[in-house]
Amino acid sequence: MTQAAARARAERINMQIISTLADRRARIGVGEGDRGCAGPARPAMQLAQVVDAGMSTIEDGSRGAKVIAGVPVIVTAPGLLTARRRLPAVLARMNERDARRVAADRYALAVEKIGSVAGASVEGIKADGGAETNDGGATTRILHAGTIKAVERTLERGAVVLAPSARGGAGRRAITARELIDALCLNNSDMKSILLAAGWSGHRRDVARLSCAAEDQLEEMARALGLVARTAPHPAPSLH
């Protein structure tokens, strides 16, 4: 076999491996229904039953009166599953309307969109200084930039969220709030992979500590973005 033939064969094998991995991440071939286009850089998908929260009037057995209470609402049709982006465990444990998860989604959306919104055009500014209806994307860009700036200020206050002990931990490095949140919200990384990337072993104890730190930072992000009143009590820590 010539070198050119060997190289072509190796390229075909590599492309087949990449294609198979992309299909697996998109859950293509698993169950029925539509899927997004496969791609190795696209987020991994999972098949799940989507449950939302709704309000319903129920009868209070102790008093006989009717009260309004929150009830789970299954969005996915019976017998089916919905293909959706696979979330790290920290985010997956939260209700979709949880302010912390909403903050994570807003930050990810802002970072994704800020580079794709067209800049403001001269024609988009009125003579009196006000913006026209079509301002070339300037308003959207400002809103996204404001979200990112608010989150960055919050993360700067968080500084280091996990540091190796002075007694050991050779090869470990400190993990900052910015690194943690960017990996969690922008890269969909789980706690163990974040630890491993920083030279940690990924021990369950450290995963729990980093998960608590992530929840704390998400709570502060939600407050900075106005999703939670700054004077509201902090939620109880989750059990990991």
Side-chain angles (χ1 to χ4, degrees), residues 153-235:
R153 283 197 297 262
T154 299
L155 298 180
E156 287 172 2
R157 292 196 299 268
V160 174
V161 294
L162 188 65
S165 65
R167 294 178 297 176
R172 299 179 181 179
R173 60 175 176 79
I175 299 176
T176 64
R178 177 67 181 271
E179 179 183 3
L180 170 61
I181 292 300
D182 280 357
L184 175 67
C185 300
L186 307 184
N187 299 330
N188 261 9
S189 301
D190 57 36
M191 297 299 102
K192 185 172 183 178
S193 64
I194 297 173
L195 286 165
L196 294 175
W200 296 66
S201 64
H203 191 278
R204 184 180 300 177
R205 178 190 64 251
D206 296 326
V207 168
R209 290 171 60 195
L210 198 59
S211 296
C212 289
E215 291 179 356
D216 290 343
Q217 293 302 316
L218 291 171
E219 175 71 19
E220 294 305 320
M221 285 168 53
R223 291 168 186 265
L225 295 176
L227 300 171
V228 178
R230 294 184 181 273
T231 57
H234 285 70

Side-chain angles (χ1 to χ4, degrees), residues 33-56:
D34 297 334
R35 300 286 192 279
C37 297
R42 291 180 176 271
M45 305 295 288
Q46 66 178 359
L47 300 180
Q49 186 179 63
V50 180
V51 180
D52 201 351
M55 304 303 293
S56 177

Side-chain angles (χ1 to χ4, degrees), residues 8 14 67 69 81-82 112 157 185 189 194:
N14 287 338
V67 296
L81 295 174
T82 301
E112 177 185 353
R157 292 196 299 268
C185 300
S189 301
I194 297 173

Side-chain angles (χ1 to χ4, degrees), residues 74-99:
I74 299 176
V75 179
T76 305
L80 301 178
L81 295 174
T82 301
R84 61 189 309 173
R85 181 169 59 100
R86 188 174 66 202
L87 295 173
V90 170
L91 296 176
R93 283 193 293 266
M94 300 175 182
N95 185 283
E96 290 192 4
R97 298 186 181 182
D98 189 308

